[in-house]
Amino acid sequence: MLEALGLTDDEAELYVALVRSGPCRADRLPGLSRIRFGQLGSALEGLSAKGLLTRTEDAPARLIASPPEVVGEVLLLRRLNELHTARAAMGRLADEYRGSAQDGPGRASVEFTPTAAVAQRADQIQRRASKEVMIFDMPPYASAAADGTALGNSCEMDRLAAGVRYRTVYDRLAIEQDGGLERIGRYIAAGEEARATHRLPMKLLIVDREMGIVPALADGPEQPNGSALIYPSPLLDGLIGLFEQTWSAALSLDPAVDQGERREPEIDESEARLLTLLLSGMTDAVIARQLGVGRRTVLRKARGLMDRAGVATRMQLGWYAARHGWLGESG
Protein backbone atom coordinates (compact mmCIF):
# COMPACT_ATOMS: atom_id res chain seq x y z
CA MET A 1 0.00 0.00 0.00
CA LEU A 2 2.77 2.45 0.95
CA GLU A 3 4.49 1.79 -2.35
CA ALA A 4 1.85 4.07 -3.91
CA LEU A 5 3.49 6.96 -2.04
CA GLY A 6 6.80 6.34 -3.77
CA LEU A 7 8.40 4.00 -1.21
CA THR A 8 10.33 0.90 -2.22
CA ASP A 9 9.26 -2.47 -0.81
CA ASP A 10 12.13 -2.43 1.71
CA GLU A 11 11.40 1.15 2.78
CA ALA A 12 7.71 0.39 3.28
CA GLU A 13 8.42 -2.74 5.33
CA LEU A 14 11.00 -0.99 7.51
CA TYR A 15 8.77 2.05 8.14
CA VAL A 16 5.83 -0.15 9.19
CA ALA A 17 8.13 -2.10 11.52
CA LEU A 18 9.39 1.11 13.15
CA VAL A 19 5.88 2.49 13.57
CA ARG A 20 4.82 -0.71 15.34
CA SER A 21 7.93 -1.03 17.51
CA GLY A 22 8.33 2.59 18.56
CA PRO A 23 11.80 4.17 18.98
CA CYS A 24 14.40 1.50 18.27
CA ARG A 25 18.17 1.29 18.79
CA ALA A 26 20.04 1.04 15.50
CA ASP A 27 21.82 -2.16 16.55
CA ARG A 28 18.47 -3.90 17.06
CA LEU A 29 17.17 -2.97 13.64
CA PRO A 30 17.99 -6.28 11.87
CA GLY A 31 15.56 -8.10 14.15
CA LEU A 32 12.60 -5.88 13.25
CA SER A 33 12.06 -6.97 9.65
CA ARG A 34 12.90 -9.57 7.04
CA ILE A 35 15.09 -7.15 5.09
CA ARG A 36 18.54 -8.54 4.43
CA PHE A 37 21.33 -6.85 6.38
CA GLY A 38 23.05 -5.58 3.25
CA GLN A 39 19.88 -3.73 2.17
CA LEU A 40 19.07 -2.09 5.51
CA GLY A 41 21.44 0.81 4.84
CA SER A 42 19.76 1.87 1.60
CA ALA A 43 16.30 1.47 3.15
CA LEU A 44 17.34 3.72 6.09
CA GLU A 45 18.75 6.34 3.73
CA GLY A 46 15.60 6.29 1.64
CA LEU A 47 13.34 6.77 4.67
CA SER A 48 15.52 9.59 5.99
CA ALA A 49 15.51 11.36 2.61
CA LYS A 50 11.72 11.17 2.48
CA GLY A 51 11.32 12.51 6.01
CA LEU A 52 9.93 9.25 7.36
CA LEU A 53 12.71 8.60 9.85
CA THR A 54 14.60 10.55 12.53
CA ARG A 55 17.95 9.40 13.99
CA THR A 56 18.81 10.71 17.49
CA GLU A 57 22.25 12.15 18.29
CA ASP A 58 22.74 10.30 21.57
CA ALA A 59 24.61 7.00 21.87
CA PRO A 60 23.49 4.46 21.12
CA ALA A 61 21.52 6.21 18.40
CA ARG A 62 17.79 5.54 18.22
CA LEU A 63 15.59 5.46 15.13
CA ILE A 64 12.15 7.09 15.38
CA ALA A 65 9.44 6.80 12.74
CA SER A 66 7.80 10.10 11.76
CA PRO A 67 4.06 10.32 12.59
CA PRO A 68 2.10 8.72 9.69
CA GLU A 69 -0.67 11.33 9.85
CA VAL A 70 1.86 14.10 9.30
CA VAL A 71 4.39 12.72 6.86
CA GLY A 72 1.79 10.67 5.00
CA GLU A 73 -0.12 13.78 3.99
CA VAL A 74 3.09 15.41 2.76
CA LEU A 75 4.02 12.38 0.65
CA LEU A 76 0.49 12.10 -0.70
CA LEU A 77 0.43 15.72 -1.83
CA ARG A 78 3.85 15.30 -3.43
CA ARG A 79 2.62 12.19 -5.25
CA LEU A 80 -0.52 13.98 -6.43
CA ASN A 81 1.55 16.82 -7.84
CA GLU A 82 3.69 14.30 -9.72
CA LEU A 83 0.57 12.63 -11.11
CA HIS A 84 -0.92 15.97 -12.21
CA THR A 85 2.32 16.82 -13.96
CA ALA A 86 2.38 13.42 -15.67
CA ARG A 87 -1.25 13.82 -16.75
CA ALA A 88 -0.54 17.20 -18.31
CA ALA A 89 2.45 15.73 -20.15
CA MET A 90 0.35 12.82 -21.44
CA GLY A 91 -2.29 15.30 -22.59
CA ARG A 92 0.27 17.20 -24.64
CA LEU A 93 1.55 13.95 -26.11
CA ALA A 94 -2.03 12.93 -26.95
CA ASP A 95 -2.50 16.15 -28.91
CA GLU A 96 0.72 15.45 -30.82
CA TYR A 97 -0.32 11.83 -31.37
CA ARG A 98 -3.67 12.79 -32.87
CA GLY A 99 -2.18 15.71 -34.77
CA SER A 100 0.38 13.48 -36.48
CA ALA A 101 -2.42 11.42 -38.01
CA GLN A 102 -4.04 14.29 -39.88
CA ASP A 103 -3.05 16.66 -42.61
CA GLY A 104 -4.70 19.87 -41.50
CA PRO A 105 -5.04 21.70 -38.19
CA GLY A 106 -7.47 20.77 -35.46
CA ARG A 107 -8.27 17.60 -33.59
CA ALA A 108 -9.02 14.39 -35.45
CA SER A 109 -12.40 12.90 -34.51
CA VAL A 110 -11.55 9.39 -35.75
CA GLU A 111 -8.42 7.36 -35.09
CA PHE A 112 -7.76 3.98 -36.69
CA THR A 113 -6.81 1.14 -34.33
CA PRO A 114 -5.11 -1.96 -35.84
CA THR A 115 -6.74 -5.32 -35.19
CA ALA A 116 -3.96 -6.44 -32.85
CA ALA A 117 -4.64 -3.49 -30.51
CA VAL A 118 -8.45 -3.48 -30.57
CA ALA A 119 -9.03 -5.59 -27.44
CA GLN A 120 -6.42 -3.65 -25.48
CA ARG A 121 -7.81 -0.28 -26.59
CA ALA A 122 -11.36 -1.26 -25.67
CA ASP A 123 -10.19 -2.38 -22.25
CA GLN A 124 -8.24 0.86 -21.73
CA ILE A 125 -11.10 3.21 -22.53
CA GLN A 126 -13.47 1.21 -20.31
CA ARG A 127 -11.12 1.45 -17.36
CA ARG A 128 -11.30 5.25 -17.57
CA ALA A 129 -15.11 5.15 -17.38
CA SER A 130 -16.58 7.00 -14.40
CA LYS A 131 -20.28 7.16 -15.31
CA GLU A 132 -21.62 4.85 -18.01
CA VAL A 133 -20.62 2.34 -20.67
CA MET A 134 -22.96 1.56 -23.58
CA ILE A 135 -22.39 -1.56 -25.68
CA PHE A 136 -23.75 -3.27 -28.78
CA ASP A 137 -22.69 -6.90 -28.26
CA MET A 138 -22.46 -9.22 -31.26
CA PRO A 139 -19.97 -11.76 -32.64
CA PRO A 140 -17.34 -12.16 -33.92
CA TYR A 141 -15.35 -10.88 -30.97
CA ALA A 142 -11.96 -9.19 -31.02
CA SER A 143 -10.54 -11.59 -28.47
CA ALA A 144 -11.34 -14.99 -27.08
CA ALA A 145 -9.80 -14.00 -23.77
CA ALA A 146 -11.49 -14.37 -20.43
CA ASP A 147 -14.87 -16.03 -20.96
CA GLY A 148 -15.26 -15.16 -24.63
CA THR A 149 -17.02 -11.92 -23.89
CA ALA A 150 -17.76 -9.17 -26.32
CA LEU A 151 -15.55 -6.28 -27.30
CA GLY A 152 -13.90 -4.89 -24.18
CA ASN A 153 -16.04 -6.82 -21.66
CA SER A 154 -13.09 -8.38 -19.84
CA CYS A 155 -13.06 -5.57 -17.23
CA GLU A 156 -16.81 -5.11 -16.89
CA MET A 157 -17.06 -6.78 -13.48
CA ASP A 158 -14.46 -4.39 -12.06
CA ARG A 159 -16.17 -1.31 -13.44
CA LEU A 160 -19.60 -2.45 -12.29
CA ALA A 161 -18.18 -2.92 -8.80
CA ALA A 162 -16.81 0.63 -9.01
CA GLY A 163 -20.32 1.97 -9.63
CA VAL A 164 -20.15 2.45 -13.40
CA ARG A 165 -23.48 1.90 -15.15
CA TYR A 166 -23.45 -0.64 -17.99
CA ARG A 167 -26.18 -0.84 -20.63
CA THR A 168 -25.75 -3.60 -23.20
CA VAL A 169 -27.91 -4.53 -26.17
CA TYR A 170 -27.24 -8.11 -27.27
CA ASP A 171 -27.68 -9.31 -30.81
CA ARG A 172 -29.57 -12.58 -31.24
CA LEU A 173 -26.33 -14.25 -32.41
CA ALA A 174 -24.61 -13.31 -29.13
CA ILE A 175 -27.35 -15.02 -27.14
CA GLU A 176 -27.37 -18.07 -29.40
CA GLN A 177 -23.71 -18.85 -28.73
CA ASP A 178 -23.01 -21.80 -26.44
CA GLY A 179 -23.34 -20.51 -22.90
CA GLY A 180 -24.44 -17.12 -24.18
CA LEU A 181 -27.40 -16.73 -21.86
CA GLU A 182 -25.37 -17.95 -18.90
CA ARG A 183 -22.65 -15.38 -19.63
CA ILE A 184 -25.17 -12.58 -19.89
CA GLY A 185 -26.78 -13.74 -16.66
CA ARG A 186 -23.51 -13.24 -14.80
CA TYR A 187 -23.31 -9.64 -15.97
CA ILE A 188 -26.94 -9.00 -15.08
CA ALA A 189 -26.35 -10.43 -11.60
CA ALA A 190 -23.41 -8.01 -11.23
CA GLY A 191 -25.59 -5.03 -12.16
CA GLU A 192 -25.61 -4.80 -15.94
CA GLU A 193 -28.78 -3.60 -17.64
CA ALA A 194 -29.23 -5.96 -20.58
CA ARG A 195 -31.61 -6.00 -23.52
CA ALA A 196 -31.88 -8.04 -26.70
CA THR A 197 -32.75 -7.36 -30.31
CA HIS A 198 -32.98 -9.52 -33.39
CA ARG A 199 -30.19 -7.78 -35.28
CA LEU A 200 -27.73 -5.02 -34.40
CA PRO A 201 -26.25 -2.74 -37.08
CA MET A 202 -22.67 -3.03 -35.73
CA LYS A 203 -20.53 -3.64 -32.68
CA LEU A 204 -20.23 -0.54 -30.55
CA LEU A 205 -18.74 0.61 -27.24
CA ILE A 206 -19.23 4.14 -25.88
CA VAL A 207 -17.66 5.36 -22.62
CA ASP A 208 -19.07 8.31 -20.66
CA ARG A 209 -20.48 9.70 -23.94
CA GLU A 210 -16.96 11.01 -24.59
CA MET A 211 -15.29 8.24 -26.55
CA GLY A 212 -16.45 5.33 -28.68
CA ILE A 213 -15.03 2.44 -30.66
CA VAL A 214 -16.59 0.76 -33.71
CA PRO A 215 -15.32 -1.72 -36.33
CA ALA A 216 -13.50 -0.15 -39.29
CA LEU A 217 -13.74 -1.43 -42.84
CA ALA A 218 -10.59 -2.58 -44.60
CA ASP A 219 -9.29 -0.47 -47.49
CA GLY A 220 -8.06 -3.57 -49.26
CA PRO A 221 -7.59 -7.32 -48.84
CA GLU A 222 -4.13 -6.88 -47.30
CA GLN A 223 -5.19 -4.38 -44.63
CA PRO A 224 -6.74 -5.73 -41.40
CA ASN A 225 -10.19 -4.54 -40.42
CA GLY A 226 -9.22 -2.99 -37.08
CA SER A 227 -11.48 -0.48 -35.36
CA ALA A 228 -12.10 3.24 -35.28
CA LEU A 229 -11.73 5.22 -32.07
CA ILE A 230 -14.27 8.06 -32.09
CA TYR A 231 -13.63 11.28 -30.14
CA PRO A 232 -16.26 13.96 -29.30
CA SER A 233 -17.81 14.98 -32.61
CA PRO A 234 -21.12 14.92 -34.52
CA LEU A 235 -20.23 11.32 -35.45
CA LEU A 236 -20.06 10.31 -31.79
CA ASP A 237 -23.32 12.16 -31.11
CA GLY A 238 -24.94 10.15 -33.92
CA LEU A 239 -23.69 6.86 -32.46
CA ILE A 240 -25.06 7.80 -29.05
CA GLY A 241 -28.42 8.55 -30.67
CA LEU A 242 -28.34 5.19 -32.48
CA PHE A 243 -27.68 3.38 -29.22
CA GLU A 244 -30.51 5.14 -27.39
CA GLN A 245 -32.96 4.41 -30.20
CA THR A 246 -31.97 0.74 -30.31
CA TRP A 247 -32.06 0.48 -26.52
CA SER A 248 -35.60 1.86 -26.38
CA ALA A 249 -36.88 -0.71 -28.87
CA ALA A 250 -35.04 -3.73 -27.40
CA LEU A 251 -36.44 -6.33 -25.00
CA SER A 252 -35.21 -6.63 -21.43
CA LEU A 253 -33.17 -9.75 -20.65
CA ASP A 254 -33.54 -9.34 -16.90
CA PRO A 255 -36.69 -11.07 -15.64
CA ALA A 256 -36.26 -9.35 -12.27
CA VAL A 257 -36.37 -5.84 -13.71
CA ASP A 258 -39.19 -3.62 -12.50
CA GLN A 259 -41.97 -4.48 -14.89
CA GLY A 260 -44.53 -1.92 -13.77
CA GLU A 261 -48.20 -2.76 -13.47
CA ARG A 262 -49.37 -5.81 -15.35
CA ARG A 263 -52.79 -6.95 -16.27
CA GLU A 264 -53.71 -10.53 -15.52
CA PRO A 265 -52.59 -13.11 -16.24
CA GLU A 266 -49.04 -12.48 -14.96
CA ILE A 267 -46.09 -14.59 -16.07
CA ASP A 268 -43.30 -15.88 -13.88
CA GLU A 269 -39.56 -15.37 -14.32
CA SER A 270 -38.95 -18.49 -16.46
CA GLU A 271 -41.86 -17.60 -18.71
CA ALA A 272 -40.60 -14.03 -19.07
CA ARG A 273 -37.18 -15.33 -20.15
CA LEU A 274 -38.74 -17.74 -22.64
CA LEU A 275 -40.92 -14.99 -24.06
CA THR A 276 -37.95 -12.65 -24.45
CA LEU A 277 -36.02 -15.28 -26.40
CA LEU A 278 -39.05 -16.08 -28.55
CA LEU A 279 -39.55 -12.42 -29.45
CA SER A 280 -35.82 -12.00 -30.14
CA GLY A 281 -36.26 -14.21 -33.19
CA MET A 282 -34.45 -17.32 -32.00
CA THR A 283 -35.38 -20.77 -33.21
CA ASP A 284 -36.95 -23.24 -30.82
CA ALA A 285 -33.83 -25.42 -30.96
CA VAL A 286 -31.56 -22.53 -29.92
CA ILE A 287 -33.94 -21.48 -27.13
CA ALA A 288 -34.03 -25.05 -25.83
CA ARG A 289 -30.23 -25.18 -25.74
CA GLN A 290 -29.92 -21.86 -23.95
CA LEU A 291 -32.53 -22.77 -21.33
CA GLY A 292 -31.25 -26.31 -20.90
CA VAL A 293 -34.57 -27.92 -21.77
CA GLY A 294 -35.92 -30.02 -24.63
CA ARG A 295 -37.41 -28.56 -27.80
CA ARG A 296 -40.77 -30.12 -26.90
CA THR A 297 -40.71 -28.18 -23.61
CA VAL A 298 -40.17 -24.91 -25.50
CA LEU A 299 -43.07 -25.70 -27.83
CA ARG A 300 -45.33 -26.66 -24.93
CA LYS A 301 -44.55 -23.54 -22.89
CA ALA A 302 -44.90 -21.26 -25.92
CA ARG A 303 -48.25 -22.85 -26.69
CA GLY A 304 -49.27 -22.32 -23.07
CA LEU A 305 -48.45 -18.61 -23.25
CA MET A 306 -50.41 -18.27 -26.47
CA ASP A 307 -53.41 -19.99 -24.89
CA ARG A 308 -53.30 -17.72 -21.85
CA ALA A 309 -53.11 -14.69 -24.11
CA GLY A 310 -55.89 -16.03 -26.32
CA VAL A 311 -53.89 -15.68 -29.55
CA ALA A 312 -53.16 -18.01 -32.45
CA THR A 313 -49.67 -16.93 -33.60
CA ARG A 314 -46.41 -15.88 -32.00
CA MET A 315 -46.65 -12.51 -33.69
CA GLN A 316 -49.95 -11.96 -31.91
CA LEU A 317 -48.32 -13.17 -28.68
CA GLY A 318 -45.67 -10.45 -29.03
CA TRP A 319 -48.33 -7.81 -29.56
CA TYR A 320 -50.31 -9.05 -26.57
CA ALA A 321 -47.23 -9.21 -24.31
CA ALA A 322 -46.31 -5.62 -25.17
CA ARG A 323 -49.88 -4.40 -24.73
CA HIS A 324 -50.28 -6.06 -21.31
CA GLY A 325 -46.87 -5.32 -19.88
CA TRP A 326 -45.66 -8.91 -19.65
CA LEU A 327 -42.09 -7.82 -20.38
CA GLY A 328 -42.14 -4.44 -18.68
CA GLU A 329 -41.77 -0.95 -20.01
CA SER A 330 -38.96 0.10 -22.32
CA GLY A 331 -37.11 3.25 -21.61
Side-chain angles (χ1 to χ4, degrees):
M1 186 189 333
L2 298 180
E3 289 80 357
L5 296 177
L7 276 65
T8 66
D9 291 342
D10 288 345
E11 290 170 354
E13 182 174 342
L14 184 57
Y15 179 70
V16 171
L18 286 170
V19 168
R20 291 172 177 170
S21 71
C24 173
R25 283 170 44 180
D27 57 352
R28 294 182 180 177
L29 199 58
L32 283 183
S33 69
R34 296 169 295 179
I35 303 174
R36 287 181 293 181
F37 183 79
Q39 297 174 318
L40 275 174
S42 60
L44 284 171
E45 291 179 9
L47 291 179
S48 298
K50 294 179 175 70
L52 289 164
L53 179 68
T54 301
R55 188 190 302 262
T56 64
E57 298 294 337
D58 54 344
R62 291 186 304 159
L63 304 172
I64 304 173
S66 301
E69 67 273 18
V70 176
V71 73
E73 188 70 19
V74 173
L75 288 177
L76 180 60
L77 290 174
R78 182 185 303 166
R79 192 68 170 164
L80 286 174
N81 287 333
E82 292 173 354
L83 290 173
H84 284 309
T85 301
R87 184 175 186 178
M90 291 300 291
R92 291 191 295 271
L93 284 174
D95 289 339
E96 293 182 29
Y97 178 77
R98 289 193 293 271
S100 65
Q102 61 186 27
D103 295 327
R107 177 178 176 177
S109 61
V110 179
E111 174 189 319
F112 178 75
T113 301
T115 299
V118 169
Q120 180 188 49
R121 197 73 75 248
D123 183 85
Q124 289 170 339
I125 68 171
Q126 273 189 98
R127 291 192 183 279
R128 59 174 283 172
S130 61
K131 302 180 185 70
E132 181 182 33
V133 176
M134 300 180 285
I135 297 174
F136 281 169
D137 183 310
M138 61 186 296
Y141 298 127
S143 172
D147 56 355
T149 59
L151 181 64
N153 262 7
S154 60
C155 70
E156 179 171 348
M157 292 296 189
D158 291 340
R159 304 314 297 147
L160 284 168
V164 176
R165 183 188 187 192
Y166 268 75
R167 287 193 291 159
T168 302
V169 182
Y170 291 92
D171 187 274
R172 173 179 58 85
L173 296 177
I175 305 173
E176 286 182 355
Q177 288 198 325
D178 290 341
L181 201 58
E182 179 183 355
R183 169 174 73 90
I184 295 168
R186 290 199 298 270
Y187 288 116
I188 292 175
E192 178 186 90
E193 300 170 45
R195 296 187 180 184
T197 189
H198 179 68
R199 181 172 297 175
L200 287 171
M202 69 180 79
K203 285 186 284 189
L204 172 67
L205 187 149
I206 299 174
V207 173
D208 289 344
R209 298 175 180 262
E210 296 175 352
M211 185 175 295
I213 187 168
V214 297
L217 296 176
D219 289 334
E222 297 181 357
Q223 181 178 339
N225 286 327
S227 287
L229 195 59
I230 314 297
Y231 293 100
S233 60
L235 175 57
L236 181 60
D237 294 340
L239 292 173
I240 293 172
L242 174 63
F243 177 89
E244 295 292 2
Q245 184 178 28
T246 306
W247 174 263
S248 297
L251 297 169
S252 174
L253 283 172
D254 184 3
V257 74
D258 181 14
Q259 298 182 6
E261 295 185 5
R262 292 176 176 164
R263 301 178 187 175
E264 294 293 341
E266 293 186 349
I267 59 176
D268 61 27
E269 181 175 322
S270 64
E271 291 171 329
R273 176 160 292 185
L274 171 65
L275 183 57
T276 297
L277 298 180
L278 285 171
L279 299 183
S280 296
M282 294 185 186
T283 65
D284 292 343
V286 171
I287 294 173
R289 187 171 71 247
Q290 290 294 334
L291 296 181
V293 299
R295 185 170 177 273
R296 284 179 172 270
T297 300
V298 173
L299 291 170
R300 177 173 54 80
K301 289 188 174 183
R303 183 71 260 176
L305 288 173
M306 292 165 64
D307 291 343
R308 287 165 63 181
V311 299
T313 68
R314 292 187 180 183
M315 182 178 293
Q316 291 172 327
L317 175 62
W319 174 85
Y320 184 93
R323 185 77 179 270
H324 291 76
W326 278 13
L327 292 180
E329 299 293 334
S330 295

